[in-house]
Amino acid sequence: MNRRDRMSLSTENLVVRYGNVTALAGITLRLEPGEMFFLLGPSGCGKSTLLRSVAGFVEEFDGEIAFAGDSLKGVPAHRRDFGMVFQNYALFPHLTVAGNVAFGLEARGAAAGDVRARVGEALGLVGLSGYEARRPGELSGGQQQRVALARALVIKPRLLLLDEPLSNLDAKLRWDMRGEIKRIHAATGITTLYVTHDQKEALSMADRMAILRDGKLEALGPPRELYLNPPTAFAAAFLGDVNELEGTLAARPSNGSPGRVRTALGEVRLSAQPSWPEGLKEGAAVRVFCRPESLWLGEAGAAPPAGHAALEQPARVASSAFLGTNTLYELALQGGAAWRCLRHEDGGAGLPDGANVTLAIRDEAWRMLA
Ligand code: ADP
């Protein structure tokens, strides 16, 4: 057993079935000690099942789940020393805030003075000192979520498990609580496994994240890496919008010169990248994509900035949405493709619907879709 095994959570080929539904089809993961690790994916992909298996709520599984190198098979949930926060908070309505937070300590037989001190400490950590005597019904949604966090943290868990903890909060509060959870994570250093279907939550908070699809691991890595170099088309589209183009591989990248793909919009040059599929032959049919924020958009005939290559076919503004800091344009390309462009306008007037436009892009912004 190496030092990393002693410190953290791992799963090995984890399989969970419900009748003839395979919820997890062989998941192998290893969390780094202290990291904020996200499980991300569409509804039904197996995120909650994985979290519940780690928590100890799933009895029947194949494969292995271990913490600190010890198998968790047969270890009941309350003996794992994991803290858990659910989407619906699951507070006891008849207990005070202090009573709710104290619950896990009292169940473990802690002395009364110790309980008071640790409840005070946990409530301080989540910014709720002074709320000890309130009942959950007298708190806002965000405050209830903080109580749930304090209750999970008070036992000084070896691992913190968060299941869609912000889903019941409105947009503004959700943003504030993201910051709060990051602050608390930094203050405690507790290894955290966080489930969400919201890619923005994962991209903005995770040290690393795993995208699940149909019970399998689709992609794994730090947010920036996955967003910029998604290993699969599914991961690319799940993390953000993609403007897609079909083409034929004209040349593989070699000796520092970029690869080339022939498309209906002209030749696209792609630098070598992690997602470049192995063994792809020249002449092969391929798909490439760029993100809306990588696309340069100007009035028809305008010269693109240095380093940008204009696409050979014209496009038209189909519609636009002004978002304050930038504008999202829906574009109609020749041949019927619909693309998106996110344009920073810095107080400018914007482009009207129907306008003919020029599109341009840097070579480095193209990615191959595997
Ligand atoms: P997610 O959290 O990503 O939405 P889940 O882990 O809840 O996904 O579900 C994964 C799959 O397992 C889904 O097909 C779901 O319908 C199924 N499933 C989850 N829980 C149960 C259960 N208790 N009984 C039967 N099927 C279940």
Side-chain angles (χ1 to χ4, degrees):
M1 180 169 70
N2 65 32
R3 192 174 135 69
R4 277 170 60 194
D5 287 334
R6 265 184 257 130
M7 301 295 292
S8 200
L9 176 79
S10 59
T11 70
E12 190 75 44
N13 207 15
L14 180 62
V15 176
V16 176
R17 294 185 192 88
Y18 299 108
N20 52 17
V21 174
T22 303
L24 296 179
I27 300 284
T28 300
L29 281 178
R30 181 185 300 276
L31 271 60
E32 296 293 336
E35 85 174 325
M36 173 89 89
F37 190 96
F38 271 67
L39 295 174
L40 180 69
S43 181
C45 70
K47 305 179 295 293
S48 296
T49 300
L50 181 46
L51 193 85
R52 285 160 30 81
S53 305
V54 170
F57 303 143
V58 174
E59 282 171 11
E60 293 282 314
F61 63 85
D62 290 331
E64 184 59 281
I65 309 174
F67 193 91
D70 297 327
S71 172
L72 291 175
K73 224 166 217 165
V75 178
H78 66 277
R79 294 206 186 266
R80 296 186 179 196
D81 283 332
F82 296 167
M84 181 137 185
V85 175
F86 303 92
Q87 179 176 351
N88 59 5
Y89 322 137
L91 300 176
F92 301 114
H94 59 287
L95 292 183
T96 61
V97 165
N100 267 284
V101 177
F103 190 81
L105 289 176
E106 285 165 349
R108 284 171 168 76
D114 193 27
V115 170
R116 242 190 329 275
R118 284 176 64 178
V119 167
E121 196 185 322
L123 286 174
L125 187 62
V126 301
L128 280 185
S129 298
Y131 285 74
E132 286 79 355
R134 298 251 195 127
R135 285 178 204 278
E138 300 167 317
L139 299 175
S140 71
Q143 288 169 333
Q144 291 183 39
Q145 192 57 286
R146 286 168 198 258
V147 176
L149 262 173
R151 186 178 59 180
L153 291 167
V154 77
I155 61 164
K156 298 207 186 317
R158 300 190 295 170
L159 182 70
L160 183 61
L161 303 172
L162 305 176
D163 192 0
E164 302 267 8
L166 307 183
S167 297
N168 284 352
L169 304 177
D170 64 51
K172 167 81 172 76
L173 204 52
R174 214 155 51 218
W175 181 255
D176 294 346
M177 280 302 286
R178 283 188 208 175
E180 270 296 273
I181 291 176
K182 278 173 82 166
R183 181 187 62 74
I184 291 165
H185 176 253
T188 59
I190 295 174
T191 312
T192 301
L193 185 60
Y194 190 130
V195 161
T196 185
H197 65 276
D198 180 340
Q199 73 278 19
K200 290 211 170 94
E201 210 165 293
L203 288 170
S204 64
M205 296 178 75
D207 291 319
R208 282 191 311 150
M209 55 204 228
I211 301 178
L212 300 188
R213 177 190 189 187
D214 296 337
K216 297 193 197 75
L217 190 61
E218 176 82 6
L220 174 72
R224 245 171 233 277
E225 201 171 286
L226 284 190
Y227 184 84
L228 296 175
N229 289 306
T232 67
F234 180 88
F238 192 76
L239 293 176
D241 283 332
V242 291
N243 294 318
E244 226 183 290
L245 207 50
E246 289 180 354
T248 312
L249 186 65
R252 293 181 58 84
S254 66
N255 296 334
S257 58
R260 291 183 287 118
V261 173
R262 236 176 272 122
T263 78
L265 300 183
E267 194 172 82
V268 159
R269 288 183 295 271
L270 295 96
S271 17
Q273 56 194 258
S275 59
W276 196 281
E278 286 289 319
L280 201 59
K281 296 264 188 336
E282 284 167 15
V286 293
R287 288 184 301 156
V288 295
F289 81 94
C290 65
R291 298 278 189 203
E293 65 276 17
S294 305
L295 203 55
W296 180 86
L297 172 64
E299 283 168 23
H308 287 63
L311 302 186
E312 283 172 15
Q313 305 267 347
R316 197 171 46 76
V317 173
S319 66
S320 66
F322 176 60
L323 303 173
T325 47
N326 42 35
T327 301
L328 181 63
Y329 288 94
E330 304 276 350
L331 304 167
L333 274 67
Q334 274 197 353
W339 277 21
R340 289 183 158 184
C341 172
L342 198 58
R343 193 169 92 140
H344 182 61
E345 294 181 338
D346 206 16
L351 294 161
D353 290 0
N356 289 318
V357 294
T358 298
L359 301 177
I361 189 164
R362 289 174 300 114
D363 291 350
E364 308 84 71
W366 286 109
R367 291 288 178 273
M368 182 77 81
L369 274 177

